[in-house]
Amino acid sequence: MVEREGLILSNYLEVLRRRRNIVIFFFCLTVVIAGIVTFFTKPVYRATVTLLIDVESPSVLSGGGIDAGTQGYATYGSYREYYKSQMGIITSTPILEQVFKEFDLSSLEKYREEKEPLKEFAKTVSVKPVKESRLLKLNANSKDPSLAKKIANRIAEIYIQHNLAYISKSEWLNLLKNEYLRLKAKLFEYSKIYKESHPEMIRIKKEIDEVIENISRGKRSSFTEEDIEGQAAKSKYQQALEGLKANNVSIVAAAKEPVRPVKPNKVFNIMVAIIVGLFGGIVLAFFIEYQDFSIKGVDDLERIVDWPYLGQIPKVGGARKEFHVQRHPNDFISEAIRSIRTQVLFLDTKENPVKAVVVSSLGPQEGKTTFLCNLGIIMASNKKKILLVDSDMRKPRLHAIFKKKTDKGLSHFLAGQVEYKDIIVPTEVENLFFVGNSQPPPNPAELLSNDRMKEFIDKVKEEFDFILFDSPPISMITDATILSKMLDGVIVVVECEKTPKKALARSYKLLKNSRIKVLGVVIDRVPVSSGDGYYYAYSYSGKKR
């Protein structure tokens, strides 16, 4: 179990190593974008007013009072409905609309192009209760700190005025109700003495009608002092206002001009960007890995095919990659190819001689020709006479690589136009020869399957120590299959992180059904990193490069 868990962990780490560029790119992109947005966003300031709200008015009319037991020290939890109502009133449309007009906010660029500017303004105002207290925090946000302060204080003032007007109206209605009851009682007493037509009776009835009319008007939400009918009623209303000792809402701390912005929170934004960038990059790396069905390494090969594994070649860079082992004979890439050469030579036994092999790949541009040239140069360096044959008649390359264009190639020999000795061309590398094919024929498959091809193979086996045939991709063209049946076997080259697993499985089935001997498989263009093995850091001679 411990080994299995370690294997799974190592697989995860390998994915992150292989996809590290994606993680780094996503991380850097996220942090840079977050930084640009954060530091170029215009700051938003918040001004706060602290309000104290009692559930009832501390005192109502002079000479009257309320029970101290009903006042108490109520908590927010006990009267949350009342406080929620007050919070709704503070941010109600009438109050916000009055402030919006007073400060001419419609002229600001933020609201100028809005279809409903008042709704946008409402988003900048918020009210939050202070738990276990009778306090409310009224917040106003603005890019202008001075304006934020003015808006917050003005909303608080208007709310207090509205609240005082509401209390005044309530007390005024109570006075009218008491007056109505007093007049009705007086009318009843007078009715015992006077007739209906008596002036006193008429006067009392008129006063009752005025009280009823004022009560009806007082119940309207738009009630003001101008709505009161009758001088006596107005006089009583003024007496009621004078009798009010206090409002149940007061400002504990007025808003001050804010110094530090609340948005954007630079430290918070950058920290979030770092976390999102890191974990997002990791998730993206695993997602891309999940969607990638290419060959990554030996484990993928072993799950699909049972071919011998000859080795892997790191990615070769620079110009003239086909001559890398000649230019850098002691680096880790040359070591890898030298190791593969040894593996191939070990396959040659008396019972199963291996002298002429096909080097092919599953798809185009997977590095088979580069590998073939370097392998041939490595073999030739051991005083062996090596021949490279360009049997890829559809897209021949060897003549261009060795910069020796000839009018006589393999196709001419197979067509009976030239002799065998006319197509063997020496190269600049000692003991290394090649057969080119600068003019692609119209019928390569037919030429490769005729008797002259068998004659060519027999002759080169007699003259050379080892022959490497460069062929078209196995999965695309039948040329490689035709050649493989004539030769001692085929070496399959797959490109790391490119060759699809499905293509490998199809080629495996094709070669198995065709009874073609696969000498082994080579993984080409493996990305180089510090964790890939000691030979990446040390040369064959043991000297650190």
Side-chain angles (χ1 to χ4, degrees), residues 72-84:
Y73 291 96
T75 64
Y76 168 74
S78 304
Y79 297 97
R80 63 175 175 271
E81 290 185 2
Y82 175 78
Y83 283 104
K84 283 185 177 181

Side-chain angles (χ1 to χ4, degrees), residues 52-58 71-72 82-83 134 247-250:
L52 174 63
I53 300 180
D54 288 315
V55 177
E56 299 182 41
S57 181
Q71 179 83 9
Y82 175 78
Y83 283 104
R134 293 172 289 166
N247 194 344
N248 71 319
V249 178
S250 60

Side-chain angles (χ1 to χ4, degrees), residues 488-520:
D488 300 327
V490 58
I491 296 175
V492 179
V493 177
V494 299
E495 183 177 351
C496 184
E497 300 181 2
K498 179 183 177 183
T499 302
K501 295 177 183 178
K502 289 184 178 180
L504 180 61
R506 286 195 298 267
S507 299
Y508 173 74
K509 186 176 181 181
L510 173 65
L511 295 176
K512 188 175 182 180
N513 293 339
S514 302
R515 296 185 178 181
I516 293 174
K517 182 179 180 181
V518 178
L519 300 175

Side-chain angles (χ1 to χ4, degrees), residues 25 45 56 62 132 134 138 143 205 261 313 315 353 381 456 530:
F25 174 77
Y45 296 87
E56 299 182 41
S62 56
E132 303 299 327
R134 293 172 289 166
L138 168 59
K143 293 180 180 179
K205 287 180 180 180
I313 305 172
K315 187 176 293 186
S381 65
F456 173 77
S530 58

Side-chain angles (χ1 to χ4, degrees), residues 526-542:
V526 179
V528 180
S529 74
S530 58
D532 287 332
Y534 71 91
Y535 65 88
Y536 288 124
Y538 290 85
S539 67
Y540 184 75
S541 63

Side-chain angles (χ1 to χ4, degrees), residues 36 40 52 71 114 129 135-136 218 258 331 345 385 388 399 402 408 414 419 436 481 484 524-525 529 541:
I36 291 173
F40 283 89
L52 174 63
Q71 179 83 9
E114 292 290 339
L135 301 176
L136 292 180
D331 72 352
L345 293 179
K385 196 174 181 182
L388 307 181
H399 66 279
F402 291 102
K408 301 173 183 179
L414 297 179
E419 296 298 324
T481 307
S484 301
D524 189 28
R525 296 175 181 172
S529 74
S541 63

Side-chain angles (χ1 to χ4, degrees), residues 241-267:
L241 289 181
E242 292 173 0
L244 288 171
K245 290 185 178 180
N247 194 344
N248 71 319
V249 178
S250 60
I251 296 176
V252 177
K256 296 181 179 180
E257 186 170 320
V259 178
R260 295 182 178 179
V262 291
K263 297 178 183 178
N265 190 331
K266 296 179 180 178
V267 175

Side-chain angles (χ1 to χ4, degrees), residues 180-205:
Y180 173 79
L181 295 175
R182 186 185 68 79
L183 291 174
K184 288 292 286 183
K186 191 173 183 180
L187 181 64
F188 178 75
E189 293 295 330
Y190 277 17
S191 64
K192 295 178 181 179
I193 303 173
Y194 305 114
K195 294 182 178 181
E196 292 291 329
S197 58
H198 191 276
E200 286 295 324
M201 293 289 288
I202 294 174
R203 181 183 63 79
I204 293 176
K205 287 180 180 180

